[in-house]
Amino acid sequence: MSEYSHQGPIALFDRFVDGLVHARAAVDPLEWRRHRAFIAANLFAGLLALGLLPVWLVLAGPTGFVEAVALVGLAAPAPIALYVSQSGRLMVGHLMSTAAAAALLAWIAAFTGGLGSYALFGLGIVPMEAALSGRRDVTRIAFLVALAALALVAGLDTAGLLAAPASAGPALRALVPFFAVAYTGALALRMEALHRASEEIARKRGLHYRLLAENISDIVTCHTENADIVFVTPAVERVLGVRADTIRGDGLFRMIHVADRPAYLTAVSEAVRRGLTAEVEFRLRVETDDGRGRWLWLEMRCRPLAEGDPLGGGARAVAVTRDIT
């Protein structure tokens, strides 16, 4: 018996979509997720429209030209998904999806009341879908496309060139809620998939950095403008034999030999105020079990934080310190 017989249809669909993601998207985990979410949502929406086509023909009867064009627009996401799968060009896929959705809504609105058609409300969702691309330029283009579609319908309606709402059959008007449910449903699935992917990637990266911080032999600290420590790696317990909270704030400064404190403060100041990389050697006293204490020679290399404070504690510089006793 095949192993696939033990899997549900959703699992099989997931495995199928995984195989459709282009190889160029595998470089970045989040980018791979964006490709996968786009392909899965659009392929599902397009296939759903094609699958419901026989039901449409049975219930609505003979289909006119206007309805036929609308049905083609509903099925358009499927070939767009396949294009992204084959080319790996997600940006182009988003633009194609934006154009197809805006054109479909404008087409339906033109025959269901023009500016009074509720199909135009769907144009507000088009830029939201484009925002999932993670690119500002794609989102802006989608916004302009939605505005252009609205302006086109408004211009034709104002000029009296649109058909009367009564001329549109109930079948065409029924396409709007169907499109709204399918489009927003696919959008919600993509948002949920990307949210889960982002959380998973952040969790794995956090574990990765934590593993590095716990096993690196040097002490890594972040300092504020007045040299107080707001972050320290667990290596401080192995190197100095003290808890991390012992040296936070001005704890490390108070352990430094009085004669070496000016050099220590100068090194941090060089990094914070002048944006320079500074090195300093200093003596530091740690307490021993017998209460007599001992002196260690430490070497610290301090540099500014180029991208601001990632910790939210006012950190302005990062330092790497090692025992050179």
Side-chain angles (χ1 to χ4, degrees):
M1 182 179 294
S2 171
E3 61 173 319
Y4 297 110
S5 61
H6 299 288
Q7 303 182 23
I10 296 180
L12 293 176
F13 182 76
D14 286 341
R15 291 171 62 91
F16 173 69
V17 174
D18 288 347
L20 293 178
V21 180
H22 197 275
R24 72 167 62 177
V27 177
D28 179 63
L30 185 57
E31 186 66 16
W32 187 89
R33 292 286 185 174
R34 292 187 190 277
H35 279 249
R36 188 193 184 282
F38 180 89
I39 293 172
N42 283 272
L43 189 62
F44 175 78
L47 293 179
L48 177 63
L50 291 175
L52 293 178
L53 180 58
V55 179
W56 169 275
L57 294 176
V58 170
L59 297 178
T63 301
F65 175 73
V66 175
E67 289 81 2
V69 172
L71 290 173
V72 170
L74 286 176
I80 294 175
L82 295 179
Y83 169 80
V84 173
S85 171
Q86 294 300 312
S87 66
R89 303 177 67 182
L90 182 60
M91 175 181 175
V92 178
H94 271 286
L95 295 178
M96 294 171 62
S97 178
T98 293
L104 174 62
L105 290 168
W107 178 263
I108 296 177
F111 296 93
T112 55
L115 284 176
S117 173
Y118 50 86
L120 294 180
F121 287 100
L123 290 175
I125 309 176
V126 173
M128 296 175 57
E129 191 268 344
L132 295 179
S133 66
R135 299 188 51 146
R136 184 177 300 178
D137 52 351
V138 174
T139 306
R140 289 176 175 174
I141 293 174
F143 179 64
L144 293 176
V145 169
L147 286 179
L150 177 61
L152 177 61
V153 174
L156 295 175
D157 193 9
T158 303
L161 300 177
L162 298 182
S167 64
L172 181 62
R173 291 193 294 270
L175 279 179
V176 177
F178 174 81
F179 173 83
V181 172
Y183 193 73
T184 55
L187 179 62
L189 290 175
R190 289 179 59 192
M191 293 176 64
E192 191 271 339
L194 288 177
H195 177 70
R196 284 190 293 108
S198 299
E199 287 188 336
E200 180 66 15
I201 292 172
R203 185 185 67 83
K204 290 182 177 179
R205 286 178 176 172
L207 291 176
H208 176 71
Y209 293 138
R210 182 177 180 181
L211 181 64
L212 290 177
E214 290 178 348
N215 290 277
I216 193 171
S217 58
D218 296 338
I219 305 170
V220 180
T221 53
C222 287
H223 301 255
T224 63
E225 188 173 0
N226 61 355
D228 282 354
I229 294 176
V230 293
F231 169 81
V232 58
T233 55
V236 67
E237 298 185 11
R238 295 193 302 273
V239 177
L240 303 183
V242 299
R243 298 191 310 272
D245 56 1
T246 302
I247 71 167
R248 290 195 182 98
D250 64 347
L252 180 66
F253 176 78
R254 288 186 282 104
M255 297 168 65
I256 297 175
H257 193 286
V258 175
D260 296 336
R261 291 178 181 179
Y264 169 80
L265 294 176
T266 299
V268 177
S269 178
E270 289 284 305
V272 172
R273 300 182 184 277
R274 302 181 59 187
L276 302 177
T277 298
E279 295 184 6
V280 62
E281 295 180 4
F282 55 86
R283 290 160 290 180
L284 182 137
R285 180 182 174 85
V286 294
E287 299 297 329
T288 57
D289 294 335
D290 57 11
R292 300 174 59 184
R294 63 190 179 99
W295 290 96
L296 300 177
W297 271 101
L298 301 180
E299 178 189 67
M300 184 180 76
R301 184 179 180 88
C302 192
R303 65 178 58 195
L305 283 172
E307 298 181 358
D309 176 21
L311 305 172
R316 299 282 301 278
V318 60
V320 178
T321 304
R322 63 182 57 185
D323 184 358
I324 59 172
T325 306

